[in-house]
Amino acid sequence: MTLRVARDGAGAGAAPASAGAGEPEYVALAGVTKTYRRDGRETHALDAIDLSIRAGEFLAIVGPSGCGKSTLLRIVAGLHLGTSGETRVAGRIVDRPQTDLGIVFQSPVLLAWRTAIDNVLVQVELRGHDPRAYRDRAQKLLEQVGLGDFADRFPHELSGGMRQRVAIARALIHDAPLLLMDEPFGALDALTREQMRLDLEALWLATRKTVLFITHSIDEAVLLADRVVVMSPRPGRVERVFTPGLPRPRGLEARRAREFVDTTEAITDIFLARGVLHGAGRAGGAT
Ligand SMILES: Nc1ncnc2c1ncn2[C@@H]1O[C@H](COP(=O)(O)OP(=O)(O)OP(=O)(O)O)[C@@H](O)[C@H]1O
Ligand SMILES: [Mg+2]
């Protein structure tokens, strides 16, 4: 699988929400809607989503709170079913919880009574495998996320960023081709968040997983993704898709690149036009 850094888009211009012709689609949503019904009340969360993610692509979704981002991720994972439409992963229709993927949520949800490495190994135990066979791999993954010396620490001995790194290692232990991340850095301070962003890009470049990454941060989306999907307020629709053609690794310098500035401004303008952001001048720092 080759690294796909899209350079064909017009930078701050729009791009299709589906993979180009001839490109293998790993995740494909066609006309997916979701309406939650509870106690006679309805919430129309998603409105006809057509979206695909190529194998090995890093796709980010940015959108206002409540627009259905987590709903969409859960539909891809098979944790929720769409009300209509069709979702496929690796060509197969998703109609039940999927096991061949890793998920990282905003909060790491570690087991307090297990060490870091044993938290990573939970994932293989749940799949009925012998954790002893995965111990070396778990240690290596912890090293890759910068926690080589912390394998035997308990969650309360780790910082928030470290805990989230354990959760990332846990999502990768079974080497699933698809990684779903739902605001994985949302609870972190700005500096840790920037470092996690840099480390995630390095990890992705090394593993070439297909990634669906959800964030509220426009900067983070543009700095990490091959394509950035901008969603409208609820009911969530694909408002526009951007293809930041920044060279990789994007590191810290990418923030100064013309294309980064143009793309983040274009996305900010969409949120201003939609009333998601308010402000007299440009909403600087509105990430
Ligand atoms: N299990 C559920 N039952 C009923 N309504 C739900 C459920 N999950 C989500 N919703 C509703 O669906 C809408 C979309 O929720 P969702 O969590 O997908 O949004 P989101 O874009 O992830 O928001 P945020 O950015 O705040 O995490 C919201 O109005 C929410 O109240
Ligand atoms: Mg959410």
Coordinates of all heavy atoms in Angstrom, one line a residue, residues 64-71 74 106 182-183 214 216, ligand 2:
P64 N -19.8 21.0 13.6 CA -20.2 21.5 14.9 C -20.8 20.4 15.8 O -21.1 19.3 15.4 CB -21.4 22.5 14.5 CG -21.8 22.1 13.2 CD -20.6 21.4 12.5
S65 N -20.8 20.7 17.1 CA -21.3 19.8 18.1 C -22.7 19.4 17.7 O -23.5 20.2 17.4 CB -21.2 20.5 19.5 OG -21.6 19.5 20.4
G66 N -23.0 18.1 17.8 CA -24.3 17.6 17.6 C -24.7 17.3 16.1 O -25.8 17.0 15.8
C67 N -23.7 17.5 15.2 CA -24.0 17.3 13.8 C -24.0 15.9 13.3 O -24.3 15.6 12.2 CB -23.1 18.2 12.9 SG -21.5 17.5 12.7
G68 N -23.7 15.0 14.3 CA -23.8 13.6 13.9 C -22.4 12.9 13.6 O -22.4 11.8 13.1
K69 N -21.3 13.5 14.0 CA -20.0 12.9 13.8 C -19.8 11.6 14.5 O -19.4 10.6 13.9 CB -18.9 13.9 14.2 CG -19.0 15.2 13.5 CD -17.9 16.1 14.0 CE -17.9 16.5 15.5 NZ -19.1 17.2 15.9
S70 N -20.2 11.5 15.8 CA -20.0 10.3 16.5 C -21.0 9.2 16.0 O -20.7 8.0 16.0 CB -20.2 10.5 18.0 OG -19.2 11.4 18.5
T71 N -22.2 9.7 15.6 CA -23.2 8.8 15.0 C -22.6 8.1 13.8 O -22.7 6.9 13.6 CB -24.4 9.6 14.7 OG1 -25.0 10.1 15.9 CG2 -25.5 8.7 14.0
R74 N -20.0 5.6 14.7 CA -20.6 4.4 15.3 C -21.2 3.5 14.2 O -21.3 2.3 14.3 CB -21.6 4.8 16.4 CG -20.9 5.2 17.6 CD -21.9 5.8 18.6 NE -21.1 6.2 19.8 CZ -20.8 5.4 20.8 NH1 -21.2 4.2 20.8 NH2 -20.1 5.9 21.8
Q106 N -12.7 9.9 22.9 CA -12.2 11.1 23.5 C -11.6 10.8 24.9 O -10.5 11.3 25.3 CB -13.3 12.2 23.7 CG -12.8 13.4 24.4 CD -13.8 14.6 24.3 OE1 -14.9 14.4 23.7 NE2 -13.5 15.7 24.9
D182 N -12.5 9.2 17.6 CA -13.5 10.2 17.9 C -13.0 11.2 18.8 O -13.0 11.0 20.0 CB -14.8 9.5 18.4 CG -16.0 10.4 18.4 OD1 -15.9 11.6 18.1 OD2 -17.1 9.9 18.7
E183 N -12.6 12.3 18.3 CA -12.0 13.4 19.1 C -11.0 12.9 20.1 O -11.1 13.1 21.3 CB -13.1 14.2 19.9 CG -14.0 14.9 18.9 CD -15.0 15.8 19.7 OE1 -14.5 16.6 20.5 OE2 -16.2 15.6 19.5
I214 N -12.2 12.1 13.8 CA -13.2 13.2 14.1 C -12.6 14.2 15.0 O -12.0 13.8 16.0 CB -14.5 12.5 14.6 CG1 -15.1 11.8 13.5 CG2 -15.4 13.5 15.3 CD1 -16.3 10.9 13.8
H216 N -13.1 18.6 16.5 CA -13.7 19.9 16.5 C -12.6 20.9 16.0 O -13.0 22.1 15.8 CB -14.1 20.4 17.9 CG -15.4 19.8 18.3 ND1 -15.5 19.1 19.5 CD2 -16.6 19.8 17.8 CE1 -16.7 18.7 19.6 NE2 -17.4 19.1 18.6
Ligands
MG2 MG -19.3 13.3 19.2

